[in-house]
Amino acid sequence: MKLECSKDKLSEAVSKASRLATNRNPGLPILSCLLLENKNNRLTIKATNLEIGVCLDVPVKTEKPGSVAVPGEILNNLLTNLPSGKNIKIEGRDGEIVVATEKNRSVIKTKDINDFPSIPETKSDAFSVSTKDFTNGLKSVWYSSTQSSIKPELSSVFIYTDSGEMVFVATDSFRLAEKRIKVKQNKDFGNVLLPYKNALEIVRVLEDETGETNIFLDKNQISLSSDGIYITSRLVDSSFPDYKQIISKEFETEAVILRQDLISALKLANVWSDKLNQINFLVSPAKKDLEVRTRHSELGENNCKLDAALSGKELDISFNIKYIADCLSSISSDSVSISLNDVSKPMVIRGVGDKSFLYLVMPMNR
């Protein structure tokens, strides 16, 4: 193998792929490698941890086609520390590659390419969506998944289509986030449970891309293709909870607040939050008063009044402050609405004028 290419384009692709090339499986050391395949003036960089695989194409000048398996961390560290804006030459030899720029020459030992696992290709019909909308859908909800593997359906992002929209949902049973994006193709996407860790990796690989992403689905696999990028992930074989039944359609208490005011109040309250991260909302529409309270047995307490439009009955209710703060970056509206019923039922948070995002959080027992 012998090629020449832009150092910056190669470094960007290797940086994205090398995140998957970790050495967490001592029985399969080849998984710490990137597979570099060079032919027809294109270098394809492949990485997989067996849960998710990625292929990234980089334009190159091919002098001699070939393939090598090279430790991802070493190649990424090398490229990260080389000067930007220069071309780079790579040449494969017996058991090693030489990576050279005008003033630097490095030799990296390689592994047997025959040990590198194949990355599956899905053959189903494609479903096309905006890449930015798709990654926004994942980013808006993934943090609500549980990190425990006891219930795999809760450590996943649930994706389905509904009336011309693609719906992303995640829950850890204490809070739930739902994001809807419009799609051009009114096609039944089916129900998909994507592991949240893989959702994160998909976002990291695709979030700078524009244009469209083609989605291919098999029974146990989802694949995404976008402008020289191919990603494939396993799916979870389980059933997501029937979440719609816990979302109330009517509320007894509602408040509309500037989003930034709520963010500031939560940051301040967090200074005094206890080990349970408890925060109290005292909503008093009759007194035109919305107060955020936190108390710490050793540090003291904080009471913060917010300007808000209030309606309904008075309510004093407790939540985990982190659960509320997590959702606010998923809301783009200047104002948010919080809707409540009683101390035992969940609060619903939305952006005012934006029906695409809904967040539900369960109250804490005091």
Side-chain angles (χ1 to χ4, degrees), residues 354-366:
D354 179 12
K355 296 182 178 179
S356 70
F357 180 76
L358 176 147
Y359 188 78
L360 179 150
V361 55
M362 297 299 295
M364 296 177 71
N365 294 321
R366 281 186 269 180

Side-chain angles (χ1 to χ4, degrees), residues 67-116:
S67 302
V68 295
V70 58
E73 184 178 1
I74 294 176
L75 182 60
N76 185 44
N77 286 338
L78 170 63
L79 295 174
T80 300
N81 290 291
L82 288 176
S84 299
K86 301 292 185 182
N87 270 13
I88 194 165
K89 295 182 179 179
I90 297 178
E91 183 175 3
R93 298 175 179 173
D94 289 339
E96 62 186 29
I97 61 168
V98 178
V99 182
T101 63
E102 185 179 358
K103 296 183 178 180
N104 188 283
R105 180 180 181 277
S106 302
V107 177
I108 304 175
K109 299 289 186 183
T110 58
K111 304 286 187 182
D112 187 348
I113 62 171
N114 294 312
D115 292 338
F116 196 87

Side-chain angles (χ1 to χ4, degrees), residues 245-280:
Q245 63 179 344
I246 64 172
I247 302 173
S248 298
K249 292 182 171 56
E250 295 181 354
F251 298 93
E252 296 179 348
T253 303
E254 297 198 71
V256 175
I257 322 155
L258 284 174
R259 187 175 69 96
Q260 190 55 52
D261 284 355
L262 182 57
I263 291 173
S264 299
L266 294 179
K267 285 181 178 177
L268 193 58
N270 192 47
V271 176
W272 284 271
S273 65
D274 58 17
K275 63 180 180 181
L276 298 176
N277 296 317
Q278 182 170 321
I279 185 173
N280 290 355

